[in-house]
Amino acid sequence: MPRGLLIVVSGPSGVGKNTVLNQLLAKKQDLFYSISATTRAPRNNEVDGVNYYFITKEEFIAGIENNRFLEWAEVYGQYYGTPRDKVEEKLNAGYHVVLDIDIQGAAKIRQNSPEAVLIFLLPPSIEELKQRLVGRRTENAETLKKRLAYVHEELAAAVNYDYFVVNDRVESACAKIEAIIIAEQCRRNRFDFTAFKRNFLL
Amino acid sequence: MPRGLLIVVSGPSGVGKNTVLNQLLAKKQDLFYSISATTRAPRNNEVDGVNYYFITKEEFIAGIENNRFLEWAEVYGQYYGTPRDKVEEKLNAGYHVVLDIDIQGAAKIRQNSPEAVLIFLLPPSIEELKQRLVGRRTENAETLKKRLAYVHEELAAAVNYDYFVVNDRVESACAKIEAIIIAEQCRRNRFDFTAFKRNFLL
């Protein structure tokens, strides 16, 4: 069983990342969604152990000190991190693991796991993104203002990603991500040349 | 209309490249198969203007002198080349152009068109490849011997390609190549950052 792909999916707030990821995960049984740990408060309908592991700041800092996060970042004064053990376990079992993390987390994954596949979801236009954010109504005015200000920073960081997927239609974005997963498994840098040379007596 | 992809598909004789490419071309209307020019004699059932443009050595050399080939190579004492004009015309019209060329031709495409996508088709095993070659019976004993000797050279050159696709089943190999085409269009190096920055007012 070859090791699975470590896949980062980022995108500005409001791009529709959750919808795309939910559809993808429902369709592909070989994908595993890495649940992040966070110190921020749950939003409406968010469930501990499903959307996030909601933990205290003290617990989070202890995790950092014990190297239990593949990456972690502080955003808007709250901590977010990817628990390392679960990701490693699933990758070794052949699952592709999806990290739903922001541009700071992605930059750390790029440093520490250069074999990771970094995908950035783009909105069809900046106007549509703003409309979606305003229409979401799950955030208070202050958070919304911060998020809008952060959008430009997020978009500027897109240049560090391997792939850009425009989320014009959910089905189309999912199909592109599925294609990226298949293609990446065929790429030269993932090819087992030792086994190849053995099989072909080179 | 974005420019199409220039796609090289190579693989050792007997890997089943023609079958894979025929199925792919039947399925995908946005693919254009670049017909090579060659000085070698037609095999059984090969038709001029369909399988190859069969031309004389004099015509080929005139083409080289007039820079009419995107790449050309001499293999087994015969010339093979990719007519440049047709490829450019189709790429500019948004078609993905498939070059069905050997490792020498691929190396030249890599040099001259670094944006090209190089795919190497692999057999499931070296034994199966030899069986297929021997079973093909379209070649005389001398050509067959040359081809078998060349297989190791071809396989060793695979390291220069971007993708490896094992042709275990034709449908599976086609699906992988289709995925590679979709994924490559999303890759960072093909992304139009100028348009992006204009659209997103960065």
Side-chain angles (χ1 to χ4, degrees):
Chain A
M1 174 64 75
R3 192 174 152 92
L5 300 173
L6 183 60
I7 302 165
V8 171
V9 179
S10 305
S13 299
V15 76
K17 191 171 54 171
N18 288 347
T19 312
V20 168
L21 289 182
N22 284 340
Q23 183 152 325
L24 206 58
L25 288 157
K27 201 172 165 192
K28 282 185 69 69
Q29 300 304 305
D30 57 351
L31 276 191
F32 175 78
Y33 181 87
S34 162
I35 300 166
S36 294
T38 184
T39 58
R40 80 152 164 78
R43 290 184 203 150
N44 293 342
N45 302 321
E46 282 187 340
V47 177
D48 183 50
V50 175
N51 306 94
Y52 284 95
Y53 297 113
F54 294 101
I55 65 178
T56 65
K57 201 161 278 191
E58 291 67 32
E59 290 171 316
F60 205 105
I61 287 164
I64 294 171
E65 283 166 357
N66 293 303
N67 198 27
R68 289 208 206 102
F69 295 113
L70 198 58
E71 59 76 33
W72 62 271
E74 203 189 331
V75 184
Y76 311 138
Q78 299 292 350
Y79 290 88
Y80 296 79
T82 300
R84 182 191 302 275
D85 286 359
K86 197 72 183 171
V87 171
E88 284 299 322
E89 177 198 321
K90 290 292 179 178
L91 287 176
N92 288 332
Y95 286 88
H96 309 305
V97 177
V98 176
L99 306 188
D100 171 8
I101 57 180
D102 87 328
I103 57 173
Q104 291 186 47
K108 287 182 188 167
I109 294 292
R110 171 62 86 214
Q111 274 186 341
N112 300 331
S113 308
E115 79 287 0
V117 180
L118 273 57
I119 300 173
F120 197 87
L121 269 185
L122 285 174
S125 71
I126 191 79
E127 289 73 26
E128 185 152 343
L129 185 69
K130 284 181 180 166
Q131 284 305 316
R132 288 186 202 172
L133 264 183
V134 172
R136 193 153 82 174
R137 297 175 189 281
T138 57
E139 330 208 353
N140 61 40
E142 196 198 349
T143 311
L144 178 63
K145 196 175 158 193
K146 274 190 194 165
R147 286 202 187 273
L148 281 172
Y150 191 47
V151 162
H152 275 76
E153 202 178 320
E154 288 177 298
L155 290 173
V159 297
N160 300 317
Y161 285 68
D162 300 311
Y163 295 95
F164 301 104
V165 171
V166 176
N167 186 22
D168 42 6
R169 289 186 310 113
V170 176
E171 292 71 23
S172 159
C174 284
K176 284 176 183 170
I177 295 174
E178 287 187 73
I180 289 166
I181 292 171
I182 295 171
E184 275 290 330
Q185 292 175 277
C186 298
R187 280 185 75 81
R188 176 180 49 199
N189 59 329
R190 302 193 193 282
F191 196 71
D192 183 349
F193 280 104
T194 311
F196 174 69
K197 287 178 178 169
R198 195 169 53 236
N199 288 341
F200 290 93
L201 311 168
L202 290 180
Chain B
M1 174 64 76
R3 192 172 151 94
L5 300 173
L6 182 60
I7 303 165
V8 171
V9 180
S10 304
S13 298
V15 76
K17 190 172 53 170
N18 288 347
T19 312
V20 169
L21 289 182
N22 284 340
Q23 183 153 325
L24 205 59
L25 289 158
K27 203 171 162 193
K28 283 185 67 68
Q29 300 305 305
D30 57 351
L31 275 191
F32 174 79
Y33 181 86
S34 161
I35 300 167
S36 295
T38 184
T39 59
R40 79 152 164 78
R43 290 184 203 148
N44 292 343
N45 302 322
E46 283 187 339
V47 176
D48 183 51
V50 175
N51 306 94
Y52 283 96
Y53 296 111
F54 295 101
I55 64 177
T56 66
K57 202 162 276 191
E58 290 69 32
E59 288 170 318
F60 205 104
I61 287 165
I64 294 171
E65 284 166 356
N66 293 303
N67 198 27
R68 288 209 205 100
F69 294 112
L70 198 57
E71 58 77 35
W72 63 270
E74 203 187 333
V75 185
Y76 310 137
Q78 299 292 351
Y79 290 89
Y80 296 78
T82 301
R84 183 191 301 274
D85 287 0
K86 197 73 182 172
V87 171
E88 284 298 321
E89 176 197 321
K90 289 292 177 177
L91 288 176
N92 288 332
Y95 286 87
H96 309 306
V97 177
V98 176
L99 306 188
D100 171 8
I101 58 179
D102 87 329
I103 57 173
Q104 291 187 50
K108 287 182 187 169
I109 293 293
R110 172 62 86 213
Q111 275 186 341
N112 300 331
S113 307
E115 80 287 1
V117 179
L118 272 58
I119 301 173
F120 197 88
L121 269 184
L122 284 173
S125 73
I126 192 82
E127 289 72 26
E128 184 153 344
L129 185 70
K130 283 181 180 166
Q131 285 305 317
R132 287 186 202 173
L133 263 183
V134 171
R136 191 152 82 176
R137 297 175 189 281
T138 57
E139 329 209 351
N140 62 40
E142 195 199 349
T143 311
L144 178 63
K145 197 175 158 193
K146 273 189 194 167
R147 287 201 186 273
L148 281 172
Y150 190 48
V151 162
H152 275 76
E153 200 177 321
E154 288 177 299
L155 289 173
V159 297
N160 299 317
Y161 284 69
D162 300 310
Y163 295 96
F164 301 105
V165 171
V166 176
N167 186 22
D168 42 5
R169 289 186 309 113
V170 175
E171 291 71 22
S172 159
C174 284
K176 285 175 182 169
I177 296 174
E178 286 187 74
I180 290 166
I181 292 171
I182 295 170
E184 276 288 331
Q185 293 174 276
C186 298
R187 280 186 75 81
R188 175 180 47 200
N189 59 330
R190 301 192 194 282
F191 195 73
D192 184 349
F193 279 105
T194 311
F196 174 69
K197 287 180 178 168
R198 197 169 51 236
N199 288 341
F200 289 94
L201 311 169
L202 292 179

